[in-house]
C-alpha cells in the first residue's frame, strides 16, 4: 500500500470519528434542514475531497457562507442533493458512533486486559469475562482484531458516504447544467479571443516597429560603412543619418500605434463614450456619432470589447466599404450597452473564421454579449453589438 | 556574386540590396513571397543562369508563417549546390535545426537575425562564408540553443572548452577569430578543433569536417 493510500485511509477513519462525535449536531441540523443541509453537504464534499474521492466543493471561494447558502436555498439542488446528503450523513454518523464507541472501547479493554487483571479487575467485554491470567493474554490479539475490524467498518462507512454523495449529485439540476454549458462556451470564447488578440499584437509588432527598427539598424550600418570609408562624400553620410533618424521616428510611431491598439489610455481614464469620440475623430472617415446614457456602470472588459468593436468596424469601413460616411450609435443604460456602426458602402461583408470581426464576436461573447452583422451586397454594412454592463458571471 | 533576394517588405529589400550592391554584389532578382522565390530560382536554374546565392526572409506571404524557411528547405533539396542564407526575426532553435537537417548539401547554409545585416562587415562575411559552402548561425541563436548544462549524444564526449570552440565554429568564426575571442593561442584552438573532429568521429580525410561538426552540434543541442 502506498503512503498516500494509507494517509487517505487514516483520514477516512479520522473523519468518521469526527462524524460520530458530530452525530448530535447532525440530529439537531435536521430540525433546521433548509439552512443546515447546504452546509453539511458542502462539508461532506470537502471531506470527500480530503479523503481522495472524486468530488468537488461547490462554494466559490469568493462567496461567503451566508451568500452561498442563500443562493443554494433557491436552487432545486437543495432538495435533490443537499437534503438527502444531510439525512444520510446523520444516519451514517449514528452507525459510526455505535461502531466506533463499542468497537474501539471494546478493543482497548481487550488489549489492556492483562493490565486490568494485574490491577485486580476482570475486565468484561460483551459476553467475555476473563477468569485466569492466561485468558487475559488471549484477549490481547482478540482486541487487535476487534480494533482492525472497527477501523475497516469505519472506512467502509466513509466510502458509503462517497457513494451516497455521488448518487445524489448525479444528473445535477437542469439550471446548473445550463449555466455550466454557458460558462464552458464563454470560457472557450474567452480563450479564443485572448489567443486572437495575442496573435494580432505579435503581428503588429513584427510587421510594424520591428520591421522599421531592422531598417534603422541597416541604415546605421550603411552610415558606419560610409563614415569610415575615405571615399565617401559628406553628403551621403548626412543623407544616411537623416534617413536613419526618420526611420527611427517611424518605428516609434508604429510602436505607439501598437501600444494604443493594445489598450487605449483614454478608455481607462475617460470612459467608453469619450474614447469612442476620440476614435471617431481620428478616423479618416467622416463619422457621425450619437451617444446616450452613462458609461460609468460598465465593467472595464465590457467597455474594452465595445471599444474595439467600434474600432475594427471603422477600420473595415475605411478599408473595404468605399463609403463616405459612417454612423456610430452608442447607447449605455444602467444594465446594458448597445452599439451600432453603419455605413452606406458596398456591403457584402461576412464574419469569416479568423477575421477581425470573428475575433471581436468572441470578445463580445466573452463578456456575455454578442455581435452580428447585416451586410446585403450593395446595401451597406451594419455591425451591431450588445452586452450586459457587468458580465453575468 | 549574383544573388536572389526575397522579403515581403520593400523597406528591408531596399536596405539589403543597397548594402549588397555597394559591395560589388548583384541582386539579380527580388521576390515578394515564398512561391515567387521558388518559381524564380527554378526558372533561373532551368535557363542555365543559376544564382550564386539566395537570401530569404522567414515570414512571408502567402501564408505569412514560415513560408520563407519552407522555400529555403525546398530549394536546398532540389538544387543541392545552391547556397541559402535565411534572414529571420526569430531566435528559434527549431527553425535552424530544420534548415540544417533538411535534405540538401551539407553546408552552404546560414541563419542570421535580420538586424545583423546592419553589421555590414559581419553580414558580408557571412554571405561569403555561406557561398563558399560554410555554415553561419547567428551568435544569438547559437547562445539560445546552447545547453551548457547537459550535452547530448556525441557532444557529451567533448570537454566544456571544446564545446565552446564548436559553438564559435557554428557562428561561422575562423580558428584565428576563435583564438582572439577566447584568448587562446592559435595552436591551442587548432588542437581543440582537431579534438572535436576526432571525438565526433570525423576522420582527417573526410571533406567538410567543419560543417559536419557544426551540424552535429546543432542536431544535439
Amino acid at each position: 500500500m502506498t503512503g498516500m493510500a494509507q494517509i487517505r485511509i487514516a483520514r477516512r477513519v479520522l473523519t468518521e470519528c469526527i462524524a460520530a462525535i458530530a452525530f448530535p449536531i447532525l440530529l439537531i441540523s435536521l430540525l433546521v434542514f433548509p439552512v443546515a443541509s447546504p452546509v453539511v453537504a458542502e462539508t461532506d464534499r470537502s471531506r470527500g475531497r480530503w479523503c481522495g474521492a472524486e468530488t468537488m466543493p461547490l462554494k466559490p471561494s469568493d462567496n461567503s457562507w451566508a451568500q452561498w447558502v442563500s443562493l443554494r436555498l433557491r436552487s432545486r439542488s437543495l432538495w435533490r442533493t443537499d437534503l438527502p446528503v444531510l439525512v444520510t450523513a446523520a444516519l451514517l454518523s449514528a452507525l459510526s458512533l455505535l461502531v466506533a464507541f463499542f468497537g474501539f472501547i471494546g478493543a482497548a479493554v481487550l488489549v489492556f486486559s492483562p493490565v486490568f487483571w494485574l490491577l485486580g479487575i476482570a475486565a468484561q467485554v460483551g459476553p467475555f469475562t476473563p477468569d485466569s491470567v492466561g485468558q487475559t493474554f488471549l484477549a490481547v490479539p482478540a482486541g487487535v482484531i476487534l480494533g482492525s475490524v472497527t477501523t475497516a467498518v469505519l472506512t467502509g462507512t466513509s466510502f458509503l458516504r462517497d457513494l451516497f454523495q455521488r448518487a445524489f449529485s448525479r444528473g445535477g439540476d437542469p439550471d446548473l447544467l445550463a449555466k455550466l454549458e454557458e460558462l464552458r462556451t464563454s470560457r472557450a470564447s474567452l480563450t479564443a479571443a485572448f489567443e486572437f488578440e495575442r496573435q494580432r499584437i505579435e503581428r503588429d509588432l513584427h510587421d510594424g516597429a520591428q520591421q522599421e527598427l531592422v531598417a534603422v539598424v541597416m541604415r546605421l550600418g550603411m552610415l558606419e560603412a560610409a563614415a569610415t570609408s575615405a571615399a565617401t562624400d559628406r553628403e551621403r553620410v548626412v543623407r544616411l543619418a537623416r534617413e536613419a533618424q526618420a526611420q527611427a521616428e517611424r518605428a516609434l510611431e508604429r510602436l505607439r500605434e501598437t501600444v494604443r491598439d493594445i489598450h487605449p489610455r483614454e478608455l481607462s481614464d475617460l470612459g467608453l463614450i469619450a474614447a469612442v469620440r476620440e476614435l471617431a475623430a481620428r478616423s479618416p472617415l467622416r463619422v457621425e456619432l450619437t451617444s446616450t446614457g452613462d458609461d460609468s456602470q460598465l465593467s472595464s472588459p465590457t467597455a474594452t470589447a465595445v471599444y474595439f468593436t467600434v474600432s475594427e468596424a471603422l477600420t473595415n469601413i475605411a478599408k473595404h466599404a468605399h463609403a463616405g460616411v459612417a454612423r456610430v450609435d452608442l447607447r449605455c443604460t444602467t444594465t446594458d450597452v448597445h452599439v451600432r456602426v453603419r455605413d452606406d458602402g458596398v456591403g457584402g461583408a461576412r464574419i469569416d473564421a479568423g477575421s477581425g470581426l470573428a475575433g471581436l464576436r468572441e470578445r463580445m461573447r466573452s463578456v456575455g454579449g454578442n455581435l452580428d452583422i447585416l451586410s446585403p451586397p450593395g446595401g451597406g454594412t451594419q455591425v451591431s453589438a450588445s452586452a450586459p454592463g457587468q458580465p453575468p458571471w | 556574386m549574383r544573388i536572389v533576394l526575397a522579403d515581403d517588405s520593400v523597406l528591408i529589400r531596399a536596405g539589403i540590396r543597397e548594402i549588397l550592391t555597394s559591395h560589388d554584389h548583384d541582386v539579380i532578382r527580388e521576390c515578394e513571397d515564398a512561391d515567387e522565390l521558388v518559381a524564380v530560382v527554378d526558372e533561373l536554374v532551368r535557363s542555365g543562369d543559376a544564382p550564386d546565392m539566395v537570401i530569404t526572409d522567414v515570414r512571408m506571404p502567402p501564408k505569412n508563417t514560415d513560408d520563407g524557411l519552407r522555400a529555403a528547405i525546398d530549394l536546398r533539396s532540389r538544387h543541392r549546390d545552391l547556397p541559402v542564407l535565411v534572414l529571420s526575426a526569430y531566435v528559434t532553435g527549431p527553425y535552424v535545426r530544420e534548415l540544417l537537417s533538411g535534405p540538401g548539401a551539407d553546408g552552404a547554409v546560414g541563419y542570421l537575425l535580420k538586424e545583423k545585416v546592419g553589421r555590414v562587415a559581419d553580414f558580408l562575411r557571412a554571405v561569403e562564408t555561406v557561398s563558399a559552402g560554410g555554415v553561419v548561425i547567428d551568435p544569438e541563436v547559437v547562445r539560445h540553443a546552447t545547453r551548457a548544462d547537459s550535452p547530448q549524444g556525441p557532444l557529451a564526449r567533448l570537454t566544456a572548452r571544446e564545446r565552446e570552440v564548436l559553438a564559435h565554429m557554428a557562428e561561422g568564426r575562423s580558428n584565428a577569430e576563435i583564438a582572439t575571442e577566447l584568448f587562446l593561442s592559435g595552436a591551442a584552438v587548432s588542437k581543440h578543433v582537431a579534438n572535436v573532429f576526432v571525438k565526433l568521429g570525423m576522420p582527417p580525410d573526410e571533406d567538410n569536417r567543419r560543417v559536419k561538426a557544426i551540424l552535429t552540434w546543432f542536431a544535439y543541442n
Side-chain angles (χ1 to χ4, degrees), chain A residues 53 82 151 232 339:
Chain A
D82 295 354
T151 305
T232 321
V339 68

Side-chain angles (χ1 to χ4, degrees), chain A residues 37-60:
Chain A
S37 50
V39 178
V40 170
E42 183 71 1
T43 310
D44 194 46
R45 280 187 284 269
S46 301
R47 174 206 58 81
R49 189 159 179 73
W50 195 55
C51 296
E54 275 181 29
T55 173
M56 186 69 85
L58 296 178
K59 184 178 85 72

Side-chain angles (χ1 to χ4, degrees), chain A residues 70-126:
Chain A
S70 78
L71 210 74
R72 202 71 181 162
L73 283 179
R74 277 171 278 150
S75 126
R76 270 189 286 167
S77 303
L78 178 73
W79 302 101
R80 292 176 62 136
T81 307
D82 295 354
L83 184 59
V85 169
L86 172 63
V87 173
T88 43
L91 289 174
L92 290 174
S93 288
L95 176 64
S96 289
L97 184 61
L98 285 172
V99 171
F101 187 77
F102 291 109
F104 283 140
I105 288 180
V109 171
L110 284 173
V111 167
F112 291 107
S113 196
V115 182
F116 287 120
W117 185 268
L118 275 178
L119 296 173
I121 305 165
Q124 182 196 351
V125 175

Side-chain angles (χ1 to χ4, degrees), chain B residues 107-215:
Chain B
V109 63
Y111 186 99
L112 281 187
L113 289 184
K114 222 187 251 183
E115 62 261 34
K116 294 302 162 62
V117 176
R119 303 271 166 199
V120 177
D122 289 354
F123 171 63
L124 291 170
R125 201 181 37 200
V127 168
E128 298 293 343
T129 308
V130 170
S131 76
V135 175
V136 178
I137 309 299
D138 195 282
E140 234 167 285
V141 178
V142 170
R143 253 198 307 284
H144 188 75
T146 307
R147 275 189 299 189
D149 48 336
S150 58
Q152 307 285 314
L155 296 184
R157 294 200 286 270
L158 306 183
T159 64
R161 188 54 127 181
E162 285 158 2
R163 281 200 299 276
E164 200 178 358
V165 169
L166 183 51
H168 279 77
M169 285 159 68
E171 294 169 14
R173 306 258 177 238
S174 67
N175 283 9
E177 286 167 321
I178 298 175
T180 317
E181 265 182 58
L182 297 183
F183 304 105
L184 293 170
S185 72
V189 171
S190 301
K191 203 186 80 209
H192 287 313
V193 171
N195 281 345
V196 167
F197 292 155
V198 170
K199 288 185 181 177
L200 296 184
M202 290 158 190
D205 55 339
E206 189 170 324
D207 317 332
N208 246 348
R209 285 192 299 173
R210 205 175 179 87
V211 168
K212 292 208 169 99
I214 296 168
L215 297 182

Side-chain angles (χ1 to χ4, degrees), chain A residues 173-192:
Chain A
D173 62 281
D175 291 354
L176 210 64
L177 286 178
K179 189 80 193 160
L180 196 67
E181 191 47 42
E182 193 183 319
L183 278 173
R184 210 173 273 153
T185 319
S186 84
R187 174 167 282 198
S189 291
L190 192 69
T191 322

Side-chain angles (χ1 to χ4, degrees), chain B residues 11-205:
Chain B
L11 203 68
I12 304 287
R13 270 201 325 263
I16 298 175
R17 186 184 53 228
E18 194 166 339
I19 288 171
L20 289 170
T21 48
S22 61
H23 292 86
D24 306 323
H25 295 298
D26 263 342
V27 176
I28 54 170
R29 291 290 283 274
E30 288 184 22
C31 310
E32 290 192 330
D33 66 60
D35 292 348
E36 191 188 349
L37 171 66
V38 172
V40 162
V41 173
D42 283 349
E43 179 205 312
L44 287 171
V45 171
R46 214 172 13 248
S47 60
D49 201 21
D52 298 319
M53 183 173 201
V54 167
I55 299 180
T56 179
D57 182 20
V58 169
R59 177 137 105 183
M60 277 197 294
K63 291 206 297 289
N64 268 316
T65 56
D66 56 355
D67 307 46
L69 188 81
R70 301 276 144 244
I73 292 170
D74 175 35
L75 287 174
R76 265 165 59 75
S77 73
R78 289 185 297 109
H79 310 297
R80 300 184 68 90
D81 296 324
L82 179 69
V84 176
L85 176 59
V86 173
L87 298 178
S88 168
Y90 309 104
V91 187
T92 45
Y95 278 0
V96 185
R97 214 157 292 137
E98 235 178 302
L99 184 66
L100 292 182
S101 62
D106 289 341
V109 63
Y111 186 99
L112 281 187
L113 289 184
K114 222 187 251 183
E115 62 261 34
K116 294 302 162 62
V117 176
R119 303 271 166 199
V120 177
D122 289 354
F123 171 63
L124 291 170
R125 201 181 37 200
V127 168
E128 298 293 343
T129 308
V130 170
S131 76
V135 175
V136 178
I137 309 299
D138 195 282
E140 234 167 285
V141 178
V142 170
R143 253 198 307 284
H144 188 75
T146 307
R147 275 189 299 189
D149 48 336
S150 58
Q152 307 285 314
L155 296 184
R157 294 200 286 270
L158 306 183
T159 64
R161 188 54 127 181
E162 285 158 2
R163 281 200 299 276
E164 200 178 358
V165 169
L166 183 51
H168 279 77
M169 285 159 68
E171 294 169 14
R173 306 258 177 238
S174 67
N175 283 9
E177 286 167 321
I178 298 175
T180 317
E181 265 182 58
L182 297 183
F183 304 105
L184 293 170
S185 72
V189 171
S190 301
K191 203 186 80 209
H192 287 313
V193 171
N195 281 345
V196 167
F197 292 155
V198 170
K199 288 185 181 177
L200 296 184
M202 290 158 190
D205 55 339

Side-chain angles (χ1 to χ4, degrees), chain A residues 45-384:
Chain A
R45 280 187 284 269
S46 301
R47 174 206 58 81
R49 189 159 179 73
W50 195 55
C51 296
E54 275 181 29
T55 173
M56 186 69 85
L58 296 178
K59 184 178 85 72
S61 55
D62 55 351
N63 272 20
S64 73
W65 275 99
Q67 268 177 327
W68 187 71
V69 167
S70 78
L71 210 74
R72 202 71 181 162
L73 283 179
R74 277 171 278 150
S75 126
R76 270 189 286 167
S77 303
L78 178 73
W79 302 101
R80 292 176 62 136
T81 307
D82 295 354
L83 184 59
V85 169
L86 172 63
V87 173
T88 43
L91 289 174
L92 290 174
S93 288
L95 176 64
S96 289
L97 184 61
L98 285 172
V99 171
F101 187 77
F102 291 109
F104 283 140
I105 288 180
V109 171
L110 284 173
V111 167
F112 291 107
S113 196
V115 182
F116 287 120
W117 185 268
L118 275 178
L119 296 173
I121 305 165
Q124 182 196 351
V125 175
F128 169 74
T129 314
D131 45 20
S132 70
V133 72
Q135 278 190 355
T136 62
F137 279 103
L138 278 177
V140 174
V144 171
I145 291 168
L146 180 59
S148 305
V149 169
T150 308
T151 305
V153 172
L154 287 180
T155 309
T157 316
S158 178
F159 276 110
L160 215 55
R161 276 181 209 274
D162 293 352
L163 216 65
F164 281 118
Q165 173 78 255
R166 207 169 326 143
F168 297 137
S169 313
R170 181 160 299 155
D173 62 281
D175 291 354
L176 210 64
L177 286 178
K179 189 80 193 160
L180 196 67
E181 191 47 42
E182 193 183 319
L183 278 173
R184 210 173 273 153
T185 319
S186 84
R187 174 167 282 198
S189 291
L190 192 69
T191 322
F194 193 62
E195 184 59 23
F196 188 86
E197 190 60 11
R198 289 172 75 103
Q199 281 174 5
R200 187 184 63 77
I201 294 168
E202 192 263 350
R203 206 168 40 232
D204 279 4
L205 282 171
H206 177 272
D207 296 345
Q210 195 174 4
Q211 197 89 278
E212 298 283 349
L213 280 172
V214 168
V216 172
V217 171
M218 277 185 205
R219 200 120 341 241
L220 287 173
M222 287 186 239
L223 175 62
E224 194 220 4
T228 48
S229 146
T232 321
D233 56 302
R234 247 178 86 80
E235 249 172 70
R236 179 172 153 78
V237 172
V238 171
R239 176 176 65 82
L240 284 169
R242 287 206 180 119
E243 281 172 1
Q245 183 170 27
Q247 213 132 46
E249 282 163 1
R250 269 204 297 281
L252 269 175
E253 202 179 304
R254 298 295 291 271
L255 197 56
R256 234 182 335 258
E257 281 168 22
T258 306
V259 169
R260 167 182 285 280
D261 286 347
I262 292 171
H263 192 87
R265 204 57 246 168
E266 60 266 20
L267 186 57
S268 31
D269 292 349
L270 304 171
L272 178 64
I273 292 176
V276 168
R277 198 171 292 140
E278 168 71 15
L279 205 54
R282 272 191 300 121
S283 171
L285 299 159
R286 191 157 67 81
V287 180
E288 290 173 4
L289 171 68
T290 51
S291 58
T292 54
D294 171 16
D295 58 10
S296 61
Q297 298 303 309
L298 298 180
S299 79
S300 166
T302 310
T304 309
V306 172
Y307 174 89
F308 280 110
T309 299
V310 177
S311 169
E312 176 76 15
L314 288 178
T315 308
N316 284 348
I317 294 172
K319 263 198 226 161
H320 309 297
H322 306 290
V325 61
R327 281 184 195 81
V328 179
D329 295 308
L330 180 61
R331 279 188 296 125
C332 305
T333 69
T334 47
T335 53
D336 308 275
V337 54
H338 300 267
V339 68
R340 202 168 51 185
V341 184
R342 279 175 299 163
D343 66 62
D344 54 359
V346 294
R350 285 179 309 153
I351 303 187
D352 292 321
S355 68
L357 279 175
L360 282 164
R361 176 145 72 179
E362 295 304 322
R363 196 158 178 168
M364 289 304 300
R365 284 179 180 166
S366 77
V367 292
N370 207 349
L371 180 146
D372 274 310
I373 71 167
L374 192 67
S375 185
T381 299
Q382 170 174 314
V383 175
S384 0

